[in-house]
Amino acid sequence: MNEEYLLSRYLSAAELLPRHMKEKLYRLGKEEMLAAEEIRLRAGSGISVLSEGREIVLDKSCISCGELADIVCAASNSSIHTVASNIREGFVTAENGHRIGICGTAAVKNGEICGINNYSSLAVRISKEIKTAAEGLPELITADGVLSSLLIISPPGGGKTTLLRDLVRRVSEKGVRVALADERGEIAAVKNGVPTMDVGPCTDIMDMAPRSEAAMFLLRAMTPQVIAMDEISSHREMEAARAIAGCGTAIFATAHGGSMNEMKTRKRYRELFENGVFDGVVTISGSGSERGYKYFSRSETL
């Protein structure tokens, strides 16, 4: 991938932080900057960068809870209430698609997390476009124009969103109508209605809404040929996937998982495979530039 682009993504993520923190990030070696995946900040500790699967500690000076809260506030354009639902899920998405994972003291009501206070850690995931990500995968569009449905599986941070974005772009560039349910705003990174990530010319985006509701809205409103959404796991999301498939619309989705065999043991996913919701599954292994893909046909998912 272009070094200039990778460096620009690292620096744009660094821009989310206060000046005295950015200066520490600029000290990282060029090779580590190019391979950087996350910036980690911990209250009472310092700053580190996740690069090639290991954390590089840049500074051990004490960061306060207040400084972490200021970073989250700035990432929300000083409008915390507009991203409150995302914060309850443990993240906020900043400009350019960088996602900030949040750890702290949970506020719990009726057994559910309703907020996070006293932030203790932030993980700034550096968003990147890799326009070669989907190279080598089977062609998803048949000669007569039928589109296959695909589930992408990897552990957290394994590259699912990057691969999904490239698949969306590729089919969109072939004239396929794509509807993107971008709950976290990190796939297309829409700003003022315009995607800042390349998701193709024929893609319609509903962002910052629960993915199951957004997917059904897009199905009704935009007559898509394929609906794409990230990290399906809940019962509502599984039901949305079934409904989409039942309407004859293809679906691209991602899920957390370590292997195909593991996914077969999980009841919700196994039922999707048995119901023929997905025509194929791709698992991602490895990290950094060493990621590898393995494709499973529908018959191999059963």
mmCIF file of all heavy atoms in Angstrom, residues 9 19 22 48 52 58 65 75 102-103 115 161 191 241 273 279:
data_model
loop_
_atom_site.group_PDB
_atom_site.id
_atom_site.type_symbol
_atom_site.label_atom_id
_atom_site.label_comp_id
_atom_site.label_asym_id
_atom_site.label_seq_id
_atom_site.Cartn_x
_atom_site.Cartn_y
_atom_site.Cartn_z
ATOM 1 N N ARG A 9 -2.886 8.437 7.277
ATOM 2 C CA ARG A 9 -3.908 7.881 8.161
ATOM 3 C C ARG A 9 -3.435 7.890 9.610
ATOM 4 O O ARG A 9 -4.206 8.186 10.528
ATOM 5 C CB ARG A 9 -4.265 6.454 7.728
ATOM 6 C CG ARG A 9 -4.849 6.329 6.348
ATOM 7 C CD ARG A 9 -6.022 7.268 6.131
ATOM 8 N NE ARG A 9 -7.173 6.918 6.965
ATOM 9 C CZ ARG A 9 -8.236 7.683 7.133
ATOM 10 N NH1 ARG A 9 -8.308 8.858 6.549
ATOM 11 N NH2 ARG A 9 -9.241 7.292 7.895
ATOM 12 N N ARG A 19 -2.214 18.494 21.687
ATOM 13 C CA ARG A 19 -0.895 18.751 21.109
ATOM 14 C C ARG A 19 0.225 18.003 21.820
ATOM 15 O O ARG A 19 1.088 17.403 21.166
ATOM 16 C CB ARG A 19 -0.613 20.255 21.146
ATOM 17 C CG ARG A 19 0.730 20.625 20.540
ATOM 18 C CD ARG A 19 0.929 22.120 20.517
ATOM 19 N NE ARG A 19 2.241 22.483 19.998
ATOM 20 C CZ ARG A 19 2.670 23.723 19.850
ATOM 21 N NH1 ARG A 19 1.868 24.740 20.171
ATOM 22 N NH2 ARG A 19 3.878 23.971 19.371
ATOM 23 N N LYS A 22 0.159 14.418 20.706
ATOM 24 C CA LYS A 22 0.547 14.259 19.302
ATOM 25 C C LYS A 22 2.058 14.282 19.144
ATOM 26 O O LYS A 22 2.630 13.522 18.370
ATOM 27 C CB LYS A 22 -0.074 15.378 18.453
ATOM 28 C CG LYS A 22 -1.541 15.231 18.184
ATOM 29 C CD LYS A 22 -2.037 16.235 17.175
ATOM 30 C CE LYS A 22 -2.076 17.641 17.743
ATOM 31 N NZ LYS A 22 -2.754 18.582 16.832
ATOM 32 N N SER A 48 0.712 4.409 23.984
ATOM 33 C CA SER A 48 1.395 3.361 23.237
ATOM 34 C C SER A 48 0.729 3.200 21.881
ATOM 35 O O SER A 48 -0.382 3.672 21.665
ATOM 36 C CB SER A 48 1.385 2.028 24.000
ATOM 37 O OG SER A 48 0.067 1.566 24.179
ATOM 38 N N GLU A 52 2.149 -4.067 14.171
ATOM 39 C CA GLU A 52 2.585 -5.439 13.883
ATOM 40 C C GLU A 52 2.333 -6.372 15.070
ATOM 41 O O GLU A 52 3.153 -7.224 15.418
ATOM 42 C CB GLU A 52 4.071 -5.465 13.508
ATOM 43 C CG GLU A 52 4.394 -4.718 12.222
ATOM 44 C CD GLU A 52 3.847 -5.407 10.971
ATOM 45 O OE1 GLU A 52 3.298 -6.509 11.091
ATOM 46 O OE2 GLU A 52 3.979 -4.831 9.881
ATOM 47 N N LEU A 58 5.317 4.631 24.098
ATOM 48 C CA LEU A 58 5.998 5.862 23.709
ATOM 49 C C LEU A 58 6.257 6.787 24.885
ATOM 50 O O LEU A 58 7.186 7.588 24.851
ATOM 51 C CB LEU A 58 5.154 6.622 22.675
ATOM 52 C CG LEU A 58 4.866 5.900 21.359
ATOM 53 C CD1 LEU A 58 4.005 6.781 20.467
ATOM 54 C CD2 LEU A 58 6.161 5.550 20.648
ATOM 55 N N CYS A 65 -8.180 10.992 33.698
ATOM 56 C CA CYS A 65 -9.517 10.661 33.187
ATOM 57 C C CYS A 65 -10.094 11.846 32.430
ATOM 58 O O CYS A 65 -10.766 11.682 31.407
ATOM 59 C CB CYS A 65 -10.444 10.300 34.340
ATOM 60 S SG CYS A 65 -10.058 8.753 35.167
ATOM 61 N N ALA A 75 -13.891 14.361 19.729
ATOM 62 C CA ALA A 75 -14.204 13.449 18.628
ATOM 63 C C ALA A 75 -15.683 13.486 18.260
ATOM 64 O O ALA A 75 -16.062 13.182 17.126
ATOM 65 C CB ALA A 75 -13.810 12.022 18.996
ATOM 66 N N ILE A 102 -13.798 2.784 24.134
ATOM 67 C CA ILE A 102 -13.819 3.448 25.445
ATOM 68 C C ILE A 102 -13.959 2.408 26.558
ATOM 69 O O ILE A 102 -14.799 1.517 26.500
ATOM 70 C CB ILE A 102 -14.998 4.433 25.543
ATOM 71 C CG1 ILE A 102 -14.914 5.478 24.418
ATOM 72 C CG2 ILE A 102 -15.031 5.114 26.900
ATOM 73 C CD1 ILE A 102 -16.165 6.318 24.274
ATOM 74 N N CYS A 103 -13.131 2.562 27.596
ATOM 75 C CA CYS A 103 -13.235 1.744 28.797
ATOM 76 C C CYS A 103 -13.383 2.685 29.995
ATOM 77 O O CYS A 103 -12.840 3.795 29.979
ATOM 78 C CB CYS A 103 -11.980 0.889 28.973
ATOM 79 S SG CYS A 103 -12.344 -0.839 29.201
ATOM 80 N N GLY A 115 -24.353 3.861 30.258
ATOM 81 C CA GLY A 115 -23.379 4.931 30.089
ATOM 82 C C GLY A 115 -22.024 4.505 30.624
ATOM 83 O O GLY A 115 -21.894 3.448 31.251
ATOM 84 N N THR A 161 -13.840 -5.019 8.695
ATOM 85 C CA THR A 161 -14.420 -3.791 8.147
ATOM 86 C C THR A 161 -13.688 -3.353 6.890
ATOM 87 O O THR A 161 -14.306 -2.905 5.912
ATOM 88 C CB THR A 161 -14.383 -2.669 9.198
ATOM 89 O OG1 THR A 161 -15.125 -3.085 10.363
ATOM 90 C CG2 THR A 161 -14.992 -1.382 8.659
ATOM 91 N N LYS A 191 -19.266 12.574 6.107
ATOM 92 C CA LYS A 191 -19.164 13.907 6.683
ATOM 93 C C LYS A 191 -20.022 14.851 5.850
ATOM 94 O O LYS A 191 -19.844 14.958 4.635
ATOM 95 C CB LYS A 191 -17.709 14.392 6.688
ATOM 96 C CG LYS A 191 -17.546 15.775 7.324
ATOM 97 C CD LYS A 191 -16.082 16.185 7.367
ATOM 98 C CE LYS A 191 -15.933 17.559 8.028
ATOM 99 N NZ LYS A 191 -14.514 17.980 8.079
ATOM 100 N N ALA A 241 -31.114 -10.170 8.819
ATOM 101 C CA ALA A 241 -30.404 -10.914 7.767
ATOM 102 C C ALA A 241 -31.335 -11.907 7.087
ATOM 103 O O ALA A 241 -31.331 -12.043 5.853
ATOM 104 C CB ALA A 241 -29.190 -11.626 8.359
ATOM 105 N N PHE A 273 -26.613 -20.337 8.508
ATOM 106 C CA PHE A 273 -26.014 -21.213 7.504
ATOM 107 C C PHE A 273 -27.040 -22.241 7.023
ATOM 108 O O PHE A 273 -27.180 -22.490 5.818
ATOM 109 C CB PHE A 273 -24.790 -21.943 8.078
ATOM 110 C CG PHE A 273 -23.686 -21.029 8.556
ATOM 111 C CD1 PHE A 273 -22.872 -21.399 9.618
ATOM 112 C CD2 PHE A 273 -23.462 -19.803 7.954
ATOM 113 C CE1 PHE A 273 -21.851 -20.571 10.062
ATOM 114 C CE2 PHE A 273 -22.448 -18.955 8.396
ATOM 115 C CZ PHE A 273 -21.645 -19.344 9.452
ATOM 116 N N ASP A 279 -24.204 -17.463 0.926
ATOM 117 C CA ASP A 279 -23.705 -18.374 -0.105
ATOM 118 C C ASP A 279 -22.267 -18.787 0.155
ATOM 119 O O ASP A 279 -21.784 -19.768 -0.412
ATOM 120 C CB ASP A 279 -23.801 -17.706 -1.480
ATOM 121 C CG ASP A 279 -25.230 -17.377 -1.844
ATOM 122 O OD1 ASP A 279 -26.053 -18.304 -1.934
ATOM 123 O OD2 ASP A 279 -25.540 -16.184 -2.020
#
